[in-house]
Amino acid sequence: MNAKEIFLKTMPYNMAKLLLGLLTVLVSVVLFAVLVGIGYLFGEGGTVIMLLVWLGALGIVRFIIMHYFGYLIKAGHIAVITEAAATGRLPANQIEYGKQMVKERFATSSIYFGVDKLITGAVRQIQKTVDKAGDFLDFIPGMDAIKGIIKMFIGISLGYIDECCLGYTFYNKKQGAFKSAADGIVIYTKNWKQLLSSAAKITVTVLLSVALITLIVFAAVGGLFTLLDWNRFAAFIIALLIAWAVKFAFIDSWILVKMMVVYINAASSTQITDDLYDKLCGLSGKFNELMQKAGKEKTSSSEAPAELG
């Protein structure tokens, strides 16, 4: 099953992400109407203050909705993509399968967030070491600009590398979530050139898609607010939120599927050697912490991951 087929056949997850994004937009619009309405009663100064309060509230709303519900939907999606990429088949009920796999592998949402945070930290620490490898080229004129562009692409793509490593916890069900997550990072380090090369190619297309979607959304929202003579600044923020919701639901999902297919194919042929664990522990404190928790899994029940304390 190729990436396009997986993307289209896991559309229920994309739509769930879109609904979450639009819910964020809806709550933000309601908050804007209430807060700016209150500010209007106190004149221009009150309106400005309430606009600032609204901007702060946007971050809280997005965090509450996306950090919990969005992350768990993403985890279920990763589980289903992994199954499709590894076996060529989708579960009969992919939503239930995703929920079941997340519950089995992580038991509680706090464990999932803990594993995800450790993977993210470890990958970024390891990547800093990889980045230093290009420092010897600094004497070449214009190299700083080239390195800056390369780092921009790496920064964008690293978010999906994290998710690929998380996907390995679903791929390798025979061991604990922390150990599988550590193995997932080892697989990344052994195949980082191939994975980042694929990510860079995908990212170029995605950046163009994001630019197009943003222009369309800004034109539609800006035109509506201008017609109704509503606040232009609010139109700008809401257009950003809508564009982000569409990107989160479809563009991010497309990159995730493409990267997961490349990663699972690499994982199936990668031999993990014991010496890599010690090397990565030396490079990354987060990876070392992940390995310590993996060690605790061996002494705990095989049914539950180690606790995060």
Side-chain angles (χ1 to χ4, degrees):
M1 186 176 289
N2 61 37
K4 182 178 179 181
E5 290 174 321
I6 296 173
F7 174 76
L8 293 175
K9 291 182 179 180
T10 58
M11 193 58 68
Y13 280 100
N14 302 338
M15 296 308 297
K17 292 176 183 178
L18 180 62
L19 287 175
L20 275 182
L22 293 179
L23 176 62
T24 303
V25 176
L26 177 61
V27 173
S28 301
V29 170
V30 171
L31 276 175
F32 173 80
V34 172
L35 292 176
V36 174
I38 293 172
Y40 182 76
L41 297 176
F42 296 91
E44 184 176 341
T47 301
V48 172
I49 291 172
M50 283 303 173
L51 271 174
L52 294 175
V53 172
W54 177 63
L55 287 174
L58 285 183
I60 297 173
V61 167
R62 185 177 179 276
F63 177 84
I64 292 173
I65 294 176
M66 301 308 304
H67 183 73
Y68 185 76
F69 297 105
Y71 270 49
L72 293 181
I73 288 174
K74 182 182 74 175
H77 196 189
I78 290 172
V80 173
I81 294 169
T82 301
E83 179 71 12
T87 68
R89 299 185 303 274
L90 280 169
N93 187 330
Q94 53 184 281
I95 299 296
E96 282 302 316
Y97 175 84
K99 288 165 58 177
Q100 178 186 345
M101 286 301 300
V102 173
K103 186 176 180 180
E104 285 181 4
R105 295 304 281 152
F106 300 108
T108 67
S109 58
S110 63
I111 292 176
Y112 164 70
F113 290 133
V115 173
D116 189 47
K117 184 177 179 181
L118 287 173
I119 291 173
T120 300
V123 168
R124 275 152 178 71
Q125 287 175 343
I126 293 165
Q127 190 59 46
K128 286 180 182 178
T129 303
V130 174
D131 289 341
K132 291 178 182 178
D135 289 346
F136 71 94
L137 296 175
D138 285 346
F139 69 91
I140 301 176
M143 183 52 65
D144 285 343
I146 295 173
K147 284 175 62 179
I149 294 171
I150 293 173
K151 285 183 178 181
M152 179 189 73
F153 282 111
I154 290 175
I156 293 171
S157 62
L158 271 181
Y160 305 98
I161 297 294
D162 299 348
E163 291 167 348
C164 288
C165 295
L166 181 64
Y168 193 76
T169 64
F170 299 111
Y171 179 78
N172 192 343
K173 306 181 184 74
K174 295 180 181 180
Q175 58 188 15
F178 288 99
K179 182 60 168 62
S180 291
D183 286 353
I185 294 172
V186 171
I187 290 168
Y188 156 65
T189 59
K190 291 199 72 172
N191 298 277
W192 70 269
K193 290 183 181 179
Q194 176 189 356
L195 291 167
L196 288 182
S197 174
S198 297
K201 294 174 184 176
I202 298 166
T203 302
V204 172
T205 304
V206 167
L207 287 175
L208 294 174
S209 301
V210 170
L212 178 61
I213 289 172
T214 303
L215 285 174
I216 293 172
V217 172
F218 267 64
V221 175
L224 178 63
F225 272 59
T226 300
L227 183 65
L228 298 175
D229 197 26
W230 289 352
N231 188 284
R232 303 286 179 84
F233 179 71
F236 176 79
I237 298 298
I238 290 171
L240 276 180
L241 287 172
I242 293 174
W244 163 81
V246 174
K247 173 185 175 293
F248 171 69
F250 300 109
I251 297 177
D252 286 359
S253 294
W254 171 244
I255 304 176
L256 177 61
V257 171
K258 291 280 286 184
M259 289 299 299
M260 285 294 299
V261 169
V262 175
Y263 181 89
I264 294 301
N265 287 337
S268 64
S269 59
T270 298
Q271 295 295 320
I272 298 177
T273 54
D274 291 339
D275 62 304
L276 283 172
Y277 297 116
D278 291 335
K279 289 180 181 178
L280 292 180
C281 282
L283 290 175
S284 169
K286 293 293 184 182
F287 185 84
N288 188 34
E289 186 178 346
L290 198 59
M291 287 299 296
Q292 289 176 3
K293 294 186 182 300
K296 293 179 183 179
E297 284 178 319
K298 296 176 183 177
T299 60
S300 61
S301 168
S302 60
E303 296 296 323
E307 290 299 327
L308 289 173

